[in-house]
Amino acid sequence: MLPILLLLLSALSPALAWIPVEDWESGNVTASVGESGQCVCHVYLPETTFPADRVEHMQQVSKDLILEVEIQMNKIVSYEGKLEVYLKDLKDLTVRVAMLESSADNYIKLDFELLRIELREFEALVSQLKDSLNSSLPLFDSLYIEIRNMTLIVNQLETYDKSNLEVIRIEFAKLQKKLEECQKEQEFIKPDIGNCNHTGIMSISKPMVVQLNAHLNAGFQYGGWGKDSKPVRGYESMYFYGAYSGPYVYDFYLYSNYENLILRSAFKTHDLPNGWEGTGNNYIVHGNTIYYQHNTPLSMTKLNLTSSKYDYRVISSASTKFSYSYSGNQNIDFAADENGLWVMYASEESKGKIILAKVDEKSFGIEDEWNTGVFKQLAGNAFMTCGVMYATRSVDLTTEEIFYAFDTKTGEERHLNIPFQKFQEKYTNLDYNPTDQKLYMYNNGYYVSYNVRFDKE
């Protein structure tokens, strides 16, 4: 009778079906006949509650672990690219050290010092990468050992440099002179940010060349780079970059700080959608918004970097016939200074002379206009500082000069002669940034910047 009861119980209660047969046969189930002759079964079950909450917890933990693994894998892929760049730089240094080993007498003290500086910078980069990865991989220890070995070789080779003692003394004297010049340039390092208590630009520093563009492509000669001229909170250190092989605008790259700009590690990329592509390269970032030129129709266009929303305003009098001398399509030029946002263009009515206009940021319209006396096609570029427009032109292959100024407060114009060096002959973007009082130039594919010195007397 017991086997029949087992079948009945299993059919009536599926939850009982998983109980081992031996438990049924070991006294956990008893059977008897009731008063009315019916069959009565007594079942004594062990703990049968299924741990559903524990299974659910394990599933959630599993999902979290999978997500964490994906995050770490993405980090590894990202840092693998950076590590390749570092390894290439290290290889270049290795070649240079090998050259020193083969002919140390042909090098002077300054070469050794520059090598040491580069080795220290490389060691710092590797340390930063190691901290970012939070890793103790043997690869990093190997890099540290190789860098230190190279440093020892450089130090040792320097002691053998006996034949160039007089050259070293001369170079050391030059270096001392440069240090004295650097001390005089302290005014550049600590500018009076945000103030216009001066009479205008007095001089421009020597160019500071950062590196080739983020595409590492010398063919990307048209573009621009720089910082937000009115940054929002949290983005004070942000840099932007955009470039192409022609005078067009298709995308922008944003970097959280200077280090990520150097490492070409953008935190965001804006690919301009069909119909919103730009032309010319006189764009800027102001108030977390990119202002650039759009040609269909010819208009001021802006892209809000937070909302990714686009907007445009047509300048009816602006003409496409007048561009700066270094490249075509430079018809609408945006600028920003301590007084706000500006735009410059030329028209048929102005006969090619630059018209300077103040932009109302809220309405995105023209607030006021001034007619200047400089022909746009004769200028290399133009920028604004403290309500004054400055125009530049070429002197020779390596020299540019600020030759014209127009003051919007007085309506007066001045002819100037403020020369400054170019890294290469042609450039497509030159803008002043009031947050650090620097000029940012995109010079034939390279990031170049200048400190601006104002006449405070």
Side-chain angles (χ1 to χ4, degrees), residues 228-239:
D228 192 327
S229 52
K230 192 178 73 173
V232 298
R233 186 185 298 272
Y235 290 88
E236 292 85 356
S237 300
M238 185 184 75
Y239 284 79

Side-chain angles (χ1 to χ4, degrees), residues 84-357:
E84 288 180 359
V85 176
Y86 294 158
L87 290 174
K88 182 180 180 300
D89 292 343
L90 184 59
K91 184 178 179 181
D92 294 340
L93 286 174
T94 304
V95 172
R96 291 174 62 185
V97 172
M99 293 171 61
L100 284 174
E101 286 184 294
S102 62
S103 56
D105 287 342
N106 294 330
Y107 291 83
I108 59 177
K109 185 179 182 64
L110 189 58
D111 292 307
F112 291 104
E113 185 59 30
L114 290 174
L115 265 177
R116 274 196 291 268
I117 291 172
E118 289 187 46
L119 286 167
R120 286 197 297 269
E121 291 176 348
F122 194 85
E123 184 174 4
L125 286 172
V126 174
S127 178
Q128 180 185 1
L129 180 60
K130 182 178 180 180
D131 293 338
S132 300
L133 281 172
N134 194 21
S135 173
S136 57
L137 294 174
L139 176 60
F140 292 106
D141 295 331
S142 175
L143 284 171
Y144 279 126
I145 293 173
E146 188 165 358
I147 291 169
R148 287 174 182 140
N149 287 342
M150 290 171 65
T151 303
L152 291 174
I153 292 173
V154 171
N155 292 336
Q156 184 179 12
L157 287 172
E158 188 178 14
T159 62
Y160 299 149
D161 191 15
K162 304 298 183 183
S163 62
N164 289 322
L165 289 177
E166 186 59 31
V167 177
I168 291 175
R169 291 191 188 99
I170 295 173
E171 292 298 326
F172 185 71
K174 291 181 180 178
L175 188 59
Q176 280 185 319
K177 185 177 180 181
K178 288 183 179 180
L179 288 174
E180 291 173 0
E181 292 176 356
C182 287
Q183 289 176 346
K184 295 179 181 178
E185 295 293 324
Q186 289 300 312
E187 186 176 346
F188 280 144
I189 300 175
K190 295 181 180 180
D192 194 9
I193 303 297
N195 291 323
C196 293
N197 53 346
H198 53 74
T199 59
I201 295 177
M202 184 169 66
S203 62
I204 305 296
S205 74
K206 292 183 179 180
M208 290 169 281
V209 183
V210 179
Q211 64 177 33
L212 187 62
N213 57 61
H215 291 92
L216 297 178
N217 190 329
F220 281 61
Q221 298 179 6
Y222 301 88
W225 79 293
K227 296 181 68 177
D228 192 327
S229 52
K230 192 178 73 173
V232 298
R233 186 185 298 272
Y235 290 88
E236 292 85 356
S237 300
M238 185 184 75
Y239 284 79
F240 71 90
Y241 156 75
Y244 193 62
S245 56
Y248 306 100
V249 184
Y250 291 104
D251 48 32
F252 294 101
Y253 297 83
L254 304 178
Y255 306 88
S256 58
N257 52 43
Y258 180 81
E259 288 76 16
N260 285 330
L261 172 77
I262 301 303
L263 294 173
R264 301 183 292 279
S265 178
F267 75 87
K268 196 170 187 179
T269 302
H270 285 275
D271 295 316
L272 302 184
N274 186 28
W276 288 102
E277 299 91 343
T279 52
N281 306 107
N282 288 118
Y283 42 78
I284 63 170
V285 176
H286 184 74
N288 207 43
T289 300
I290 294 179
Y291 293 88
Y292 66 99
Q293 171 187 322
H294 185 55
N295 260 22
T296 311
L298 181 62
S299 57
M300 304 187 298
T301 307
K302 67 177 182 177
L303 163 62
N304 187 294
L305 297 177
T306 302
S307 63
S308 296
K309 290 184 178 179
Y310 293 82
D311 196 6
Y312 74 96
R313 293 290 186 276
V314 174
I315 303 178
S316 57
S317 61
S319 173
T320 58
K321 293 183 179 180
F322 308 103
S323 180
Y324 289 131
S325 61
Y326 289 124
S327 67
N329 292 343
Q330 306 282 72
N331 308 122
I332 294 178
D333 180 10
F334 289 97
D337 66 359
E338 291 80 0
N339 296 339
L341 182 65
W342 307 81
V343 66
M344 293 166 281
Y345 56 92
S347 68
E348 300 281 353
E349 292 77 12
S350 71
K351 298 181 180 180
K353 292 183 179 180
I354 295 178
I355 298 173
L356 171 62

Side-chain angles (χ1 to χ4, degrees), residues 329-434:
N329 292 343
Q330 306 282 72
N331 308 122
I332 294 178
D333 180 10
F334 289 97
D337 66 359
E338 291 80 0
N339 296 339
L341 182 65
W342 307 81
V343 66
M344 293 166 281
Y345 56 92
S347 68
E348 300 281 353
E349 292 77 12
S350 71
K351 298 181 180 180
K353 292 183 179 180
I354 295 178
I355 298 173
L356 171 62
K358 185 74 165 59
V359 179
D360 186 320
E361 296 177 42
K362 291 184 178 179
S363 65
F364 195 29
I366 300 300
E367 183 179 310
D368 204 352
E369 287 184 343
W370 295 264
N371 288 296
T372 73
V374 59
F375 287 97
K376 188 172 183 182
Q377 291 174 309
L378 296 180
N381 218 289
F383 60 91
M384 298 292 299
T385 69
C386 291
V388 179
M389 186 195 82
Y390 293 89
T392 67
R393 66 183 176 189
S394 176
V395 176
D396 53 44
L397 297 180
T398 60
T399 308
E400 193 82 356
E401 75 167 352
I402 298 174
F403 75 99
Y404 178 88
F406 180 89
D407 193 335
T408 58
K409 298 183 184 70
T410 63
E412 296 178 353
E413 55 184 0
R414 291 179 293 154
H415 292 277
L416 309 173
N417 180 20
I418 304 175
F420 61 97
Q421 294 180 12
K422 290 182 290 188
F423 176 62
Q424 294 191 30
E425 179 185 3
K426 295 182 179 181
Y427 63 92
T428 57
N429 186 297
L430 181 67
D431 272 304
Y432 169 78
N433 193 303

